[in-house]
Amino acid sequence: MNLKKKAIEKSVTKEYKDLKTRKKIKSIFYDETRHNDLITSGREKFKIDTFLVILDHLLNELNKRRAAYQNFFFPFAFIVMLERLSHDDIVKGATQLNEIYYDDMDLNELINECLHLKAHIIQLADDKQNNVPKLLQILHEKNLISIYPNIEIALRIYTSTAVTNCIAERSFSCLKRIKNYLRSSMSQDRLNALAILSIEHELTNQLSYDDIIEDFAKKKSRRKTII
């Protein structure tokens, strides 16, 4: 009920349409009856046609994103399970990870670091249930980056990918509002500038437009001083 009250406060329309307008009666033929007609209220119609549709779409998108992140995490999973993996499993996991990020890590060094970290990982944390961000934090706090440089690179790739993905999604969401059919011929530089202003609107609202206008007027002024 609290969410409903908040929605009503933000909405321009405070009542359902069927409460303010006369209900339409559908014309029927001589061989038809109204026995099986389904009469829904405005609230039920909104729930069926709008609310449930939004929930289904949201759930579908969340499931897609979850599957995508699970596929992305799979090559990194062996790093947080080193103490439970055999030598062959560690080599296999490091090889699969290196096949994806071969420009960022050296395979032989990565395998040696993983084998070394397997013996060292129990001393790095109080519990064995490590995760990627926690393991990366431990490497920085213990100054072990020089010992495990390739593992540190792999952990940084994993922890930063989600952030860059959110930034890209926010940018595309912003572009839908900026580049409409009235601005289809907008140049790339102007589009980038407007997108940044829209994304960082909290900072933009704090800017003093008077100073900006004054600086622009001084740069574009064509008036000459007459002696």
Side-chain angles (χ1 to χ4, degrees):
M1 294 300 294
N2 293 332
L3 295 177
K4 182 179 179 180
K5 291 181 180 179
K6 292 180 180 179
I8 293 175
E9 292 175 356
K10 295 183 178 181
S11 177
V12 178
T13 305
K14 306 299 181 182
E15 297 179 349
Y16 293 105
K17 188 176 180 180
D18 64 325
L19 299 178
K20 299 186 297 183
T21 59
R22 184 174 62 88
K23 294 183 179 180
K24 296 181 180 180
I25 300 177
K26 181 182 177 182
S27 301
I28 60 175
F29 294 97
Y30 67 93
D31 58 344
E32 295 179 342
T33 62
R34 301 184 187 277
H35 179 69
N36 295 326
D37 288 352
L38 179 62
I39 301 176
T40 58
S41 62
R43 183 177 184 276
E44 293 175 346
K45 187 175 181 180
F46 173 79
K47 179 180 179 181
I48 296 172
D49 297 340
T50 305
F51 181 70
L52 294 180
V53 174
I54 294 175
L55 288 183
D56 290 340
H57 180 72
L58 180 61
L59 182 60
N60 186 34
E61 292 298 326
L62 289 176
N63 289 332
K64 288 182 180 179
R65 181 169 300 185
R66 179 183 179 185
Y69 278 123
Q70 286 179 344
N71 293 333
F72 169 75
F73 173 72
F74 179 76
F76 298 89
F78 79 99
I79 298 179
V80 295
M81 299 186 298
L82 292 176
E83 70 275 9
R84 300 191 297 270
L85 298 179
S86 62
H87 180 278
D88 295 337
D89 292 335
I90 293 176
V91 173
K92 181 180 178 181
T95 303
Q96 292 178 349
L97 182 62
N98 182 259
E99 289 177 354
I100 302 174
Y101 304 100
Y102 53 87
D103 290 334
D104 301 303
M105 293 168 282
D106 182 82
L107 177 58
N108 294 327
E109 293 181 0
L110 179 61
I111 293 174
N112 292 331
E113 291 176 14
C114 290
L115 295 175
H116 186 194
L117 183 60
K118 177 183 178 180
H120 196 188
I121 196 170
I122 299 177
Q123 302 176 2
L124 294 178
D126 296 333
D127 57 342
K128 298 182 181 180
Q129 301 298 327
N130 296 319
N131 52 48
V132 172
K134 183 177 180 180
L135 185 57
L136 180 61
Q137 181 181 0
I138 292 173
L139 293 181
H140 280 269
E141 291 178 351
K142 302 294 184 179
N143 296 323
L144 298 173
I145 300 176
S146 59
I147 302 177
Y148 307 107
N150 290 276
I151 293 179
E152 194 266 344
I153 292 174
L155 297 178
R156 281 195 292 113
I157 292 175
Y158 175 81
T159 54
S160 61
T161 300
V163 178
T164 55
N165 184 31
C166 293
I167 294 175
E169 291 180 355
R170 186 174 64 169
S171 300
F172 279 108
S173 177
C174 175
L175 289 177
K176 291 181 180 179
R177 298 190 298 269
I178 295 176
K179 192 170 184 180
N180 50 35
Y181 72 97
L182 296 176
R183 297 172 174 172
S184 58
S185 60
M186 186 187 306
S187 63
Q188 187 66 32
D189 294 338
R190 185 165 184 262
L191 179 62
N192 292 337
L194 291 177
I196 293 175
L197 291 175
S198 178
I199 293 172
E200 304 296 342
H201 63 276
E202 295 181 357
L203 297 177
T204 306
N205 294 333
Q206 299 176 2
L207 295 177
S208 176
Y209 293 101
D210 295 335
D211 296 338
I212 297 175
I213 294 173
E214 185 177 353
D215 293 340
F216 180 81
K218 290 180 180 179
K219 293 179 180 179
K220 300 297 182 180
S221 178
R222 297 182 180 180
R223 292 180 296 179
K224 296 182 179 180
T225 304
I226 300 176
I227 300 176

